[in-house]
Amino acid sequence: MSLSFHTADLSLRAPQAIIFDTDNTLYAYGHPHAQATAAAEEKAVRLLGCQVDDVRRAFAQARQEVKQRLGRTASSHSRLLYFQRGIELLGRKTQLVITLDLEQTYWRTFLAHCELFPGVRELLMTLRNRGIGTAIITDLTSQIQFRKIIYFGLDDCFDYVVTSEEAGADKPQEAPFQLAIDKLGIDPAQIWMIGDDPASDIAGARRFGITTLLRVDRARNGNGRDVAPDLEFDDFEELNRYLFSGKVEGWARQ
């Protein structure tokens, strides 16, 4: 699959701004997460003197507990909280130094294995050169998401960044979308949203009348199967070529 429209007669009009999700949209999340998880587990086994299976079970239970307690908030994604609670479940009480060490190990390893999808940087530079506004709406805490954007060298490619920590709620709740719209100061009808999750990115943006583009290459979120984007794509390089091929009203051919 390359580009796929969900409305046969849809004619895309050039936006005044594009909002991007981050994780699994600008880069693949799965591989760095797996590497980071393994590194944190290995260190926990060494520092706590536990078996790896026990560590995995405790951290999995900790993640579930944190998410159930905190709901759809930025803190519910916190590896710091997962590791803190996981260590406690292993019977070691609260170990602050080890908790901080595991969190730093996780994110250091995670970033070392991250790589932008081909074409992302080129698209962002083209948008900047054409005066198109750009923003990010992303779940998780601000410090971690800021670090990712800086690591990718994209900190000068976005006009605004909105995290769920700043907004007080995860997507698809209205708060992060409304905050991004307010920062951009642009009519939502003139904004596009590019994300990877039908239930969070697409459904959330649709409430505001934002044109939605879904990047796909993974199993669909079951909660979002009924939420069709305006356009699906799986290759930023091809998307870039299409957008500036003269087929999008308001954008001339490159």
Side-chain angles (χ1 to χ4, degrees), residues 191-219:
I191 297 174
W192 289 2
M193 174 79 198
I194 297 180
D196 74 295
D197 192 312
S200 295
D201 302 318
I202 304 307
R206 276 286 180 84
R207 293 195 184 107
F208 292 88
I210 293 172
T211 297
T212 54
L213 285 72
L214 182 71
R215 194 203 72 78
V216 295
D217 73 354
R218 62 173 186 151

Side-chain angles (χ1 to χ4, degrees), residues 42-137:
E42 180 182 353
K43 177 165 281 191
V45 167
R46 186 170 71 252
L47 295 179
L48 297 171
C50 298
Q51 297 297 314
V52 65
D53 288 343
D54 294 333
V55 168
R56 287 173 180 165
R57 279 194 295 269
F59 287 169
Q61 182 179 340
R63 179 179 181 274
Q64 183 178 20
E65 287 185 8
V66 169
K67 285 190 171 296
Q68 288 178 343
R69 182 169 64 253
L70 297 179
R72 297 187 68 91
T73 63
S75 296
S76 72
H77 306 280
S78 173
R79 270 62 186 179
L80 194 68
L81 296 182
Y82 299 169
F83 294 139
Q84 176 191 349
R85 182 58 185 146
I87 292 169
E88 293 168 355
L89 289 170
L90 288 166
R92 302 306 198 269
K93 300 184 179 179
T94 300
Q95 300 290 329
L96 298 182
V97 173
I98 295 177
T99 297
L100 288 167
D101 191 355
L102 294 180
E103 194 236 10
Q104 288 300 312
T105 296
Y106 177 91
W107 287 116
R108 183 170 57 250
T109 306
F110 186 99
L111 291 174
H113 290 86
C114 284
E115 186 175 353
L116 284 175
F117 289 127
V120 167
R121 189 181 305 277
E122 291 76 11
L123 174 59
L124 290 170
M125 294 307 299
T126 300
L127 295 175
R128 172 131 302 200
N129 292 337
R130 287 178 175 248
I132 305 301
T134 53
I136 280 178
I137 299 178

